[in-house]
Amino acid sequence: MIKYILLGFLNYQPMTGYEIKQTLDHSVSHFWHAYHSQIYTTLRQMEADALVVSEFIHGEGQPDRRVYSLTDAGRAEFTTWLDQALTEMSPVKEELILRLFFSARRDKNSVLAELYLQRELHQKKLNEYLGMTAGEIEENAKSIPELARDAIFWKMTLNMGISYEKMYVEWLDRTIQEIERL
Amino acid sequence: MIKYILLGFLNYQPMTGYEIKQTLDHSVSHFWHAYHSQIYTTLRQMEADALVVSEFIHGEGQPDRRVYSLTDAGRAEFTTWLDQALTEMSPVKEELILRLFFSARRDKNSVLAELYLQRELHQKKLNEYLGMTAGEIEENAKSIPELARDAIFWKMTLNMGISYEKMYVEWLDRTIQEIERL
DNA sequence: TTCGCCATGTAATACGTTACATGATTGG
DNA sequence: CCAATCATGTAACGTATTACATGGCGAA
């Protein structure tokens, strides 16, 4: 899967592994996540498979960089992936909900404390996403007309992040109330 | 992680790997998922680590069964896990949203077809969860008074499933409309 | 001078998925 | 008789995570 994300970003422009990691963290982080170790090793493999090529740039003064770009085979692989529609739902793995499932015998206040902490985290995420709506995406869209259509799609994914976090906070509020009443 | 789920289920009562898989699929499937291969191998490991013990029951006529039960060490490990509150958000990996992020250059109708299909899947899940509210959990709760408190927590996790699927379908509806207008 | 950022990588381990493999019983 | 369900397991592979490892630059 990470392979297609890397192909997807490199399809916009040549980048280093480091830049891909930054871009990933600032664009798709609310629905995908990867460590730099995985990115670097996958890029290497992809080069062995001729999906990308890299150019090593020795930085005078600056750090060295390895800039990757797509080959035609890479571009083809990316398109093939995009053209095969998903026919299943992504499996969800949510540790908090799992813990709550088994929490009947736990101390009520410990459970509440855990939920309050999660509420804070999710509220913070929500605010972060709400701040992004006006900002980053709009800039990209308006400065580069080529990306105007992309920006519409990026925003739809951001809206999912917002809907998700709103739903999460609301569920936490209801659940906290319910446990307090026990 | 799967280890704690197995400990959690065995904390209710001794079970076979097969029964754990069934229980898992009918109770926590909307926020966790595991293959039988992983369950069987993990149970074996856990026995080597003395967290569980198994009794092999040769079924006359019926299939053989291996019934696992918790040891004191297993119960302790489970409690320790529950007592350490989560301090981070679970990372989300949602392939559909990822695909949408990169879908600006795709054929509009292909994207729409993919979203319609997902809408169907999520609506179906939602209906499934709504059907469960009245049914399965209530039964367990009323027949075994020991589990009354547990049932409250199980229902809170089911409510998360319902909220999640509702949110997902609503987001899909908005997104489909938006793409149709393009 | 210390912290954070830029920048790259490897190694070991842990976890998850797919495929292979077997075999009895029950219901349509 | 065929499909589904019960029931267990292993092997191979693929993916993800943590830890180890290095080093320069700029700002506070």
Side-chain angles (χ1 to χ4, degrees):
Chain A
M1 191 80 304
I2 188 65
K3 184 168 96 173
Y4 301 107
I5 303 175
L6 302 180
L7 290 173
F9 282 127
L10 293 177
N11 195 31
Y12 290 121
Q13 56 180 291
M15 278 192 253
T16 67
Y18 191 87
E19 284 165 344
I20 292 177
K21 169 69 174 150
Q22 301 306 104
T23 309
L24 198 146
D25 288 347
H26 292 106
S27 61
V28 305
S29 66
H30 49 299
F31 52 89
W32 212 273
H33 155 267
Y35 293 96
H36 78 268
S37 56
Q38 198 189 4
I39 292 170
Y40 286 120
T41 51
T42 307
L43 284 169
R44 280 289 162 113
Q45 268 173 243
M46 287 163 73
E47 188 160 32
D49 298 342
L51 302 173
V52 297
V53 279
S54 74
E55 192 195 353
F56 187 79
I57 295 162
H58 181 69
E60 304 284 329
Q62 272 87 265
D64 297 342
R65 295 151 47 84
R66 184 177 293 277
V67 180
Y68 287 90
S69 27
L70 282 194
T71 62
D72 288 340
R75 214 173 301 273
E77 181 117 346
F78 179 63
T79 307
T80 303
W81 173 68
L82 266 188
D83 286 346
Q84 291 179 283
L86 254 197
T87 55
E88 286 179 8
M89 287 169 52
S90 295
V92 174
K93 296 206 168 178
E94 260 287 326
E95 193 173 343
L96 183 77
I97 315 299
L98 186 66
R99 291 173 57 77
L100 190 67
F101 185 89
F102 290 118
S103 289
R105 270 104 168 174
R106 280 173 74 197
D107 170 60
K108 181 176 146 174
N109 289 316
S110 306
V111 179
L112 283 171
E114 186 164 5
L115 296 180
Y116 277 125
L117 174 60
Q118 288 284 323
R119 196 203 181 279
E120 246 179 83
L121 294 174
H122 283 279
Q123 182 66 56
K124 215 176 112 189
K125 264 278 135 118
L126 174 58
N127 292 337
E128 204 182 289
Y129 294 159
L130 289 171
M132 282 168 79
T133 318
E136 288 158 65
I137 290 178
E138 302 285 86
E139 277 172 51
N140 275 329
K142 274 159 195 169
S143 60
I144 306 154
E146 256 183 299
L147 296 178
R149 194 181 172 87
D150 289 273
I152 295 168
F153 284 79
W154 298 343
K155 213 166 183 173
M156 295 186 298
T157 69
L158 179 59
N159 284 337
M160 168 50 100
I162 291 170
S163 296
Y164 178 76
E165 295 304 343
K166 265 188 189 157
M167 177 279 293
Y168 212 121
V169 170
E170 282 163 20
W171 173 81
L172 278 168
D173 284 340
R174 278 181 278 127
T175 305
I176 287 167
Q177 266 188 45
E178 210 180 319
I179 294 174
E180 275 171 345
R181 270 192 270 107
L182 284 181
Chain B
M1 191 80 303
I2 188 66
K3 184 167 97 173
Y4 300 107
I5 304 177
L6 302 179
L7 290 173
F9 283 128
L10 293 176
N11 195 32
Y12 291 120
Q13 57 180 291
M15 279 192 250
T16 67
Y18 190 86
E19 284 166 343
I20 292 177
K21 169 71 175 149
Q22 300 306 104
T23 309
L24 198 145
D25 287 347
H26 292 107
S27 61
V28 305
S29 66
H30 49 299
F31 51 88
W32 212 275
H33 156 267
Y35 293 96
H36 77 268
S37 57
Q38 197 188 5
I39 292 170
Y40 287 119
T41 51
T42 307
L43 284 169
R44 281 287 163 115
Q45 268 172 243
M46 286 163 71
E47 188 161 31
D49 297 343
L51 301 174
V52 296
V53 279
S54 75
E55 193 195 351
F56 187 79
I57 295 161
H58 182 69
E60 304 284 330
Q62 272 86 265
D64 298 341
R65 295 151 46 83
R66 184 177 292 277
V67 181
Y68 286 90
S69 27
L70 282 194
T71 62
D72 288 341
R75 215 173 301 274
E77 182 117 343
F78 180 61
T79 308
T80 303
W81 173 69
L82 267 188
D83 286 346
Q84 291 181 283
L86 253 198
T87 54
E88 287 180 6
M89 288 168 52
S90 295
V92 175
K93 296 205 167 178
E94 262 286 326
E95 195 174 341
L96 182 77
I97 316 298
L98 185 67
R99 291 173 57 78
L100 190 68
F101 184 89
F102 290 118
S103 289
R105 270 107 168 172
R106 282 173 72 197
D107 170 61
K108 181 176 147 174
N109 289 316
S110 308
V111 179
L112 283 171
E114 185 164 6
L115 296 181
Y116 278 123
L117 174 61
Q118 288 284 321
R119 196 202 181 280
E120 247 180 81
L121 294 173
H122 283 280
Q123 183 66 55
K124 215 176 114 191
K125 263 280 133 115
L126 175 58
N127 292 337
E128 205 182 288
Y129 294 159
L130 289 171
M132 282 169 80
T133 317
E136 287 159 67
I137 289 179
E138 302 285 87
E139 278 172 51
N140 274 330
K142 273 159 195 167
S143 59
I144 306 155
E146 254 184 299
L147 296 179
R149 194 182 172 88
D150 288 273
I152 296 168
F153 284 79
W154 298 343
K155 214 166 184 176
M156 294 186 299
T157 68
L158 179 59
N159 284 336
M160 168 49 99
I162 291 169
S163 297
Y164 178 76
E165 296 303 343
K166 265 189 189 156
M167 177 280 294
Y168 213 119
V169 170
E170 281 163 21
W171 173 81
L172 278 168
D173 283 341
R174 279 181 278 129
T175 305
I176 287 167
Q177 266 187 43
E178 212 180 318
I179 294 174
E180 276 171 345
R181 270 191 271 106
L182 282 182

